[in-house]
Amino acid sequence: MLYFDSDYLEGAHSSILEKLVTTNFEQTPGYGNDTYCESAREKIRQACNCPEAQVHFLVGGTQTNATVIDGLLKSYEGVIGVDSAHIELHEAGAIEFGGHKVITLPQEEGKLKASEVEKYLTKFYGDESFEHMTIPGAVYISHPTEWGTLYTKQELADLSAICHKYNLPLFLDGARLGYGLASLNTDVTMQDIAKYCDVFYIGGTKVGALFGEAVVITKPNLIPHFFTIIKQHGALLAKGRLLGIQFDTLFTDNLYLKIAKNAIEKAEQLKAIFKEKNYKFFLETDTNQQFIILEDTKLKELRQKISCSFWEKYDDTHTVVRFATSWATPQSSIDTLKEIL
Amino acid sequence: MLYFDSDYLEGAHSSILEKLVTTNFEQTPGYGNDTYCESAREKIRQACNCPEAQVHFLVGGTQTNATVIDGLLKSYEGVIGVDSAHIELHEAGAIEFGGHKVITLPQEEGKLKASEVEKYLTKFYGDESFEHMTIPGAVYISHPTEWGTLYTKQELADLSAICHKYNLPLFLDGARLGYGLASLNTDVTMQDIAKYCDVFYIGGTKVGALFGEAVVITKPNLIPHFFTIIKQHGALLAKGRLLGIQFDTLFTDNLYLKIAKNAIEKAEQLKAIFKEKNYKFFLETDTNQQFIILEDTKLKELRQKISCSFWEKYDDTHTVVRFATSWATPQSSIDTLKEIL
Amino acid sequence: MLYFDSDYLEGAHSSILEKLVTTNFEQTPGYGNDTYCESAREKIRQACNCPEAQVHFLVGGTQTNATVIDGLLKSYEGVIGVDSAHIELHEAGAIEFGGHKVITLPQEEGKLKASEVEKYLTKFYGDESFEHMTIPGAVYISHPTEWGTLYTKQELADLSAICHKYNLPLFLDGARLGYGLASLNTDVTMQDIAKYCDVFYIGGTKVGALFGEAVVITKPNLIPHFFTIIKQHGALLAKGRLLGIQFDTLFTDNLYLKIAKNAIEKAEQLKAIFKEKNYKFFLETDTNQQFIILEDTKLKELRQKISCSFWEKYDDTHTVVRFATSWATPQSSIDTLKEIL
Amino acid sequence: MLYFDSDYLEGAHSSILEKLVTTNFEQTPGYGNDTYCESAREKIRQACNCPEAQVHFLVGGTQTNATVIDGLLKSYEGVIGVDSAHIELHEAGAIEFGGHKVITLPQEEGKLKASEVEKYLTKFYGDESFEHMTIPGAVYISHPTEWGTLYTKQELADLSAICHKYNLPLFLDGARLGYGLASLNTDVTMQDIAKYCDVFYIGGTKVGALFGEAVVITKPNLIPHFFTIIKQHGALLAKGRLLGIQFDTLFTDNLYLKIAKNAIEKAEQLKAIFKEKNYKFFLETDTNQQFIILEDTKLKELRQKISCSFWEKYDDTHTVVRFATSWATPQSSIDTLKEIL
């Protein structure tokens, strides 16, 4: 069976495992107060060109989104995001569990447009009874988006401008950040992201780590007592060094970007194969996720040999499925896919 | 100045005030354990033709919605409502404060259609990863809706059927219930509502009381420990008899419906005037709220003499405003309105 | 039957009812934006000698405590109170419902001592892992306390000093504030309370109003968006003027204090009677609540004629009960009590 | 420097790391739906002699406590625990963040006595106004306790009996369960725990795993939709197999208990050394944590060479410190300790 279900099917990049093995019996303090974490933090600050950034390591994406958003918002505030946002649809109500509304705006190819944010805020504060409503307190975007699409540098700059005009921190979910940065069609760098966002995270789980997300707070003291907030969310890893070691490895010799490029190369090949075979794209993206429309009978047949993930029903007889490549996708998988198709 | 802003501009029906005055120095136990509350409960059970119903009295609408919904849902569940629902838009995130998502479906003239609920639930449980999402746990509707429209008996029956198919309690927000029941164009009675809904409330604040909403749980034990849940929400009135006395009065000699009829009569007159004067309706309803589109300059001019409430911007030069009549609207207000227009 | 169960057995002072009746058909804007609320706010600011204070009106005590405390605390903070605090024991977990821990310290006659607060904070910040614990974010006291006792001016000054040293707002629950201020043995005035507390509330429910608590925020902007927080808690009364009218009346011609004095006079008589009859006090206080230890058989006998409230079991054969007088207690009740005893 | 600070200073048992390395490039479905998790679940069910148990894997202790307790409680319920419970003191208010109160009872050597629970419940339900209070909904204990002490089989049976009498699920926090089971002075087995508890967890983080806690729900369907609750808490690990592989390894050939025994052996040696050198014990336990009272000057001197963890101030000139051994403590550390002392 060939698996293209997701970008978290395998373990970790070999150099991470090696480092875990060689450091295994070292004794370090817990909770991120070890030298590996400190080293990883410093390398990330450099990669972001943001020497004053605060860097915290968490375990997974939903956890990170909930912890950061709860940290950013006051109790009466909500977070703005697109209606296709991961926090809105696929995190089991973790934001609401923390007491906050997700204020949804229409997406455009999965993206939040600055103009939509401005339109919403103008209308909101133009309403005579806005104080009876959830006050917007932060803006959430994903890069790449849930649909594998990418913001341009100009789009990020525009979002940042409208956010700052209204004093709303801009938070970027980078669960697949590596695949965005490694895309062949992007003008956005890690430094750009650090420049335009108030908080963002660098996804490890989907880009070479066993698990782990590195939260970068580009404005110091934006979230006071964030350590305690992490603990309160059950998100503080006892053996914090496991995260430090992984991110230290990923940010040594540019490994993070290098392995992300593999996913992009394989995704480009995969797209070419589907096109050649005249498959219909629901969405063709510049990152590691491709969305194909399949007849249900065809899907059933394919799933004998290829595993891909259900995205949504297209119509009564068709289904949209997602094919994801990753840092670990071998050439042989692409070759076998070609044969099967 | 003539006020048509809302249906809670005045105090209470005179017979309520009289009763408050004559009972003022009686000593009664608190928290609803008094004879006035018990009498009111019994009268409401009779009016609903639901002898086994549990009746609780709360102070206001947002409070009631949050307390009931928190009582109905398990921690991981959300409540389904239309995107124009009061709980979604105008309660400052009170549902999310309790930890729950409002799952929004499209409205049709402010109403939730059974077919939309079915479509949503079919899609939801057809999604292979539905367990990663907020589980729907109850359905919320308003009658009259936020737009002043009314469900038909058949629409309620259909909603009830789909809810019970999926084991979802149906909760009806009756903040303006009297005006729905008194409408000239409705086939829905209080008994129908008690028949089709698992929980609903009879609005007092907007229909003759100083304040107060009577929650009717038509299925006993649907919400265990509801008393404690009310207390936990800060919604337990110490001098509970104030609510008992008001609802006992409103449900004596059919007062509730009688006074509601006044609002409908005045609304019908108001509609006729606006039509006669060729005003453009945004929404013409069968209840006490009418929505008119006004040129902004005209609105500014009118507001010198008439106060009405902002609903939303229609376009760059027009605004939708709401005119509400109530149990207390005197004929003289309608006459003066006619003169001014 | 003679009732001494609580101080909220009757309705409201007659002058309040009269005012409600005479203003009943006036049309006013909702949510506290009316002239009665504005007038009441101004009178309260004057009574507190605190012209910059923000005054908000809420309906009940548990609601007020939860709304204010949620407004004061950040999401990771808890509130310090004594282990006998109302918020700890008798509010059904309303503070925890809002996401916050009540950090309990030992009480001394129901009071929180500044020295206990200092000891706790010193230990807390001296703990190497304090960041793994709930950060203290505010201090809650009641005056009179849940046991009817009173802080001295010096005790309030000391609490205020330690709170400000640690940047913790001091919040005073004044559900029975009138009975504290009217006590024969107190050196604390309303102005003192406004001086030493960052927030406090003036209880109306138990001191002459039908319902209502006036929150006084002595430091402007201490709680941004408090209006929205009130709404989010379901604590915003639609017909806000009902609260304005009541507090405007209570703060006209010093009515609040005058009627509170009645409770104190009657309590002093009641104490004298119990002493004369050699009843055993569990706690003899300077306010309107007196705690008596009764043999269970005696209690059963007395309850044929007198209703009082269960406080706690004293031992296997004795029970502590509370006798409360109020603004409304007539001389005849005291006289009858004397006869019965 | 010699470290005795905690039992999570090192990585994982070598056989776990080996297994992670050999399986690294296998492709498995996420979220615990892989064969390693299934195998681990089965082995745990067997070790517990509880074939119908549901087993879920989470990452850390605070996370597990909050997720399980939120799953067990209804919104208006609290959890009973001792005042020294980890959930009360050292989890940054994670239980309150979920909306629930920790109802604290006095501890006896860190343990909760069935008699205290019974006394509390009798008093609670004997209070005429118990419905105004937080309803107890579950009981939480730790084994070993936060103080390293152990329940006897009889004590567990008694707790279980009182819990079931009141229909309260009994939840056991087994963050250090291995060290309890491996103790030289215990009559409690894993099967006993499964028999007496409704839910418990087997700690991996502190007993040989990189991270991970295995939640065992001994009554099927006790917590409906627990998967979604885990996701909502941000506690669902994408690469769930990492947990499956670790627990599968720990429950193969009894590895979990075997390695736990090392901590006990070393702790016994450590106790002997401290006794021999006439150090004063604050608490001498049968598990891997020992509590010593040191003069502050002595502590400062020792900390030049030995790291141990601050427990609490004993008095002005003494401090209680904790020495913890673990599965990984080598004989050489004990020998060096002896030399230094």
Side-chain angles (χ1 to χ4, degrees), chain B residues 8-12 17 24 26-28 31 62-63 70 90 94 97 205 209-211 231-233 239 241, chain C residues 8-12 17 24 26-28 31 62-63 70 90 94 97 205 209-211 231-232 234 239 241:
Chain B
Y8 41 94
L9 295 165
E10 294 88 2
L17 278 189
N24 188 50
E26 290 181 19
Q27 292 182 307
T28 59
Y31 310 116
T62 296
Q63 180 183 85
D70 288 346
H90 292 102
F97 180 68
T205 300
L210 288 172
F211 57 87
K231 177 74 182 171
Q232 183 193 37
H233 282 71
K239 300 179 186 174
R241 76 183 191 194
Chain C
Y8 41 93
L9 296 164
E10 295 87 2
L17 278 188
N24 188 51
E26 290 180 18
Q27 292 182 306
T28 59
Y31 310 117
T62 295
Q63 180 183 85
D70 289 345
H90 292 102
F97 179 69
T205 299
L210 288 172
F211 57 87
K231 177 75 182 172
Q232 183 194 38
K239 301 178 187 176
R241 75 182 191 194

Side-chain angles (χ1 to χ4, degrees), chain B residues 178-199:
Chain B
Y179 303 134
L181 300 174
S183 171
L184 304 179
N185 287 303
T186 183
D187 61 350
V188 174
T189 65
M190 183 88 91
Q191 290 89 334
D192 294 329
I193 285 170
K195 178 178 168 191
Y196 291 123
C197 298
D198 300 280
V199 193

Side-chain angles (χ1 to χ4, degrees), chain A residues 244-258:
Chain A
I245 289 167
Q246 293 188 85
F247 277 97
D248 192 52
T249 305
L250 288 171
F251 279 81
T252 299
D253 297 335
N254 217 12
L255 183 66
Y256 187 69
L257 264 181
K258 277 184 205 161

Side-chain angles (χ1 to χ4, degrees), chain B residues 36-295:
Chain B
Y36 296 105
C37 284
E38 197 36 64
S39 169
R41 285 189 196 103
E42 188 49 34
K43 287 175 184 167
I44 287 173
R45 283 187 206 105
Q46 286 175 17
C48 296
N49 193 23
C50 189
E52 72 279 15
Q54 294 177 337
V55 182
H56 294 264
F57 301 109
L58 281 83
V59 170
T62 296
Q63 180 183 85
T64 302
N65 286 332
T67 307
V68 169
I69 288 170
D70 288 346
L72 288 172
L73 298 183
K74 298 193 182 63
S75 65
Y76 54 88
E77 292 178 336
V79 60
I80 293 173
V82 287
D83 49 21
S84 52
H86 207 255
I87 55 169
E88 167 70 4
L89 293 182
H90 292 102
E91 301 192 351
I95 303 304
E96 292 81 3
F97 180 68
H100 302 292
K101 179 184 273 296
V102 181
I103 301 164
T104 53
L105 299 182
Q107 49 76 26
E108 213 168 281
E109 295 205 326
K111 292 192 276 184
L112 179 68
K113 310 301 295 229
S115 56
E116 284 288 346
V117 177
E118 178 142 45
K119 197 170 82 178
Y120 169 76
L121 291 170
T122 305
K123 189 180 172 204
F124 181 84
Y125 286 109
D127 190 318
E128 293 174 7
S129 60
F130 78 84
E131 287 188 304
H132 293 247
M133 300 194 271
T134 301
I135 309 289
V139 172
Y140 166 94
I141 58 173
S142 304
H143 182 85
T145 67
E146 291 75 10
W147 292 14
T149 52
L150 291 171
Y151 288 87
T152 64
K153 194 191 294 195
Q154 188 58 50
E155 287 172 331
L156 286 182
D158 292 347
L159 274 170
S160 188
I162 186 69
C163 284
H164 293 158
K165 181 175 165 192
Y166 282 91
N167 202 25
L168 298 173
L170 178 60
F171 168 43
L172 183 146
D173 172 339
R176 295 187 168 92
L177 186 58
Y179 303 134
L181 300 174
S183 171
L184 304 179
N185 287 303
T186 183
D187 61 350
V188 174
T189 65
M190 183 88 91
Q191 290 89 334
D192 294 329
I193 285 170
K195 178 178 168 191
Y196 291 123
C197 298
D198 300 280
V199 193
F200 69 100
Y201 74 89
I202 304 166
T205 300
K206 290 167 177 159
V207 193
L210 288 172
F211 57 87
E213 323 293 323
V215 175
V216 183
I217 306 177
T218 61
K219 310 280 188 308
N221 298 318
L222 181 66
I223 312 183
H225 284 288
F226 192 52
F227 182 92
T228 302
I229 295 171
I230 293 171
K231 177 74 182 171
Q232 183 193 37
H233 282 71
L236 187 64
L237 193 65
K239 300 179 186 174
R241 76 183 191 194
L242 300 177
L243 292 160
I245 288 167
Q246 294 189 84
F247 277 97
D248 193 51
T249 305
L250 288 172
F251 279 82
T252 298
D253 295 336
N254 217 14
L255 182 65
Y256 187 69
L257 264 180
K258 278 184 207 160
I259 64 176
K261 278 188 196 303
N262 179 68
I264 299 302
E265 281 172 27
K266 298 304 182 292
E268 293 294 326
Q269 292 182 37
L270 184 144
K271 281 201 291 186
I273 294 167
F274 276 113
K275 278 183 192 169
E276 193 188 310
K277 307 282 181 182
N278 290 313
Y279 280 79
K280 197 172 160 194
F281 280 77
F282 178 70
L283 197 70
E284 184 191 336
T285 81
D286 291 324
T287 63
N288 71 317
Q289 302 180 79
Q290 306 302 329
F291 301 87
I292 313 287
I293 302 168
L294 292 176
E295 268 207 337

Side-chain angles (χ1 to χ4, degrees), chain A residues 38-48 247-248 251-252:
Chain A
E38 198 37 62
S39 169
R41 284 189 197 104
E42 188 49 35
K43 286 175 183 167
I44 287 172
R45 282 187 207 106
Q46 285 176 17
C48 295
F247 277 97
D248 192 52
F251 279 81
T252 299

